[in-house]
Amino acid sequence: MPEREVDPDAGALDQVLWGAWKTMELPEGYRAEIVEGVLEVQRIGRVRHGSIANRLGEALSRYECKGEYGAYHGMAVTLGRRRVWIPDVVVAAQGPGASADEDGIGVVASAVYLVAEVVSQGERHQERDRVRKRREYARAGIPVYVIIDDYDNQGTVTVLTEPQPEKADWVGVHRVPYGTDITIPEGPAKGFVIGETITGPKRS
């Protein structure tokens, strides 16, 4: 799969945000991202959030056995000098220089084939993962976005595919409740199943 071309240009504000992000020294337990032109600082997720993200990342690491791609936890994803995200799990090309950005801070969005977010408690966190990051990842042309959401009804998993960067939206939207398996339909993780071993059982 060839890398997608992205526009590396950035405006003055973008440069300021990027510079601030690179030099931030946060207390342990916090992380910062630039999402839709806003520098955001938030706590790292709670125990259940971390447990789901770890199970997903570890399962993807075992699944990606060909060595061409790797699953990363908490790795920064950059798009030029405009945006930086830290998804819970990333699947990207691996190997020397295969996906690192020019500053060696994270992986470039054009080398990322899947991002996954485990939705955190709180209205602001939920809106970020469900709405704002959904738009951002589509704008970047990342092929697959997985949302594991403890706070949507009794828990749901959504797999978004076929991004439309110009519309900041997705063509493929597949959403199932906890307790129902859902399969990644394309890319390096094609055939990978997200089910109860990752999310926990169906809730009554």
Side-chain angles (χ1 to χ4, degrees), residues 18 21 76-78 80 99-108:
W18 177 258
W21 181 83
V77 175
T78 63
S99 57
D101 63 30
E102 62 184 29
D103 295 311
I105 291 173
V107 296
V108 293

Side-chain angles (χ1 to χ4, degrees), residues 1-188:
M1 228 175 143
E3 288 193 2
R4 301 172 303 285
E5 292 184 4
V6 294
D7 180 2
D9 296 333
L13 178 58
D14 298 321
Q15 294 287 5
V16 170
L17 289 173
W18 177 258
W21 181 83
K22 287 202 300 182
T23 58
M24 289 183 79
E25 294 185 12
L26 296 173
E28 187 173 346
Y30 288 82
R31 67 181 185 181
E33 301 173 289
I34 301 173
V35 182
E36 294 194 324
V38 177
L39 181 60
E40 298 188 356
V41 176
Q42 65 265 349
R43 288 181 180 273
I44 292 171
R46 298 185 179 198
V47 171
R48 177 166 168 78
H49 174 283
S51 297
I52 293 173
N54 285 339
R55 287 196 295 268
L56 177 62
E58 289 167 3
L60 278 166
S61 294
R62 291 192 298 271
Y63 190 80
E64 301 301 327
C65 58
K66 293 178 286 188
E68 187 177 354
Y69 305 96
Y72 303 90
H73 294 262
M75 178 75 76
V77 175
T78 63
L79 181 60
R81 294 179 182 273
R82 292 191 221 180
R83 289 166 268 177
V84 58
W85 317 297
I86 306 177
D88 291 311
V89 179
V90 176
V91 173
Q94 65 178 2
S99 57
D101 63 30
E102 62 184 29
D103 295 311
I105 291 173
V107 296
V108 293
S110 58
V112 173
Y113 295 89
L114 179 149
V115 289
E117 300 283 5
V118 179
V119 177
S120 297
Q121 185 177 25
E123 186 176 329
R124 181 172 64 88
H125 298 301
Q126 293 166 18
E127 192 266 347
R128 184 182 66 244
D129 290 340
R130 295 170 181 168
V131 180
R132 297 174 60 222
K133 282 194 171 184
R134 175 176 173 150
R135 292 193 297 248
E136 283 279 70
Y137 294 146
R139 288 188 187 108
I142 293 172
V144 179
Y145 178 27
V146 176
I147 306 170
I148 299 178
D149 194 341
D150 260 6
Y151 305 97
D152 180 13
N153 293 323
Q154 298 300 310
T156 63
V157 181
T158 302
V159 175
L160 302 167
T161 59
E162 300 177 74
Q164 296 180 299
E166 69 286 353
K167 295 182 179 180
D169 206 354
W170 305 78
V171 174
V173 180
H174 312 277
R175 178 174 169 268
V176 300
Y178 283 7
T180 301
D181 289 349
I182 189 167
T183 303
I184 304 300
E186 61 182 72

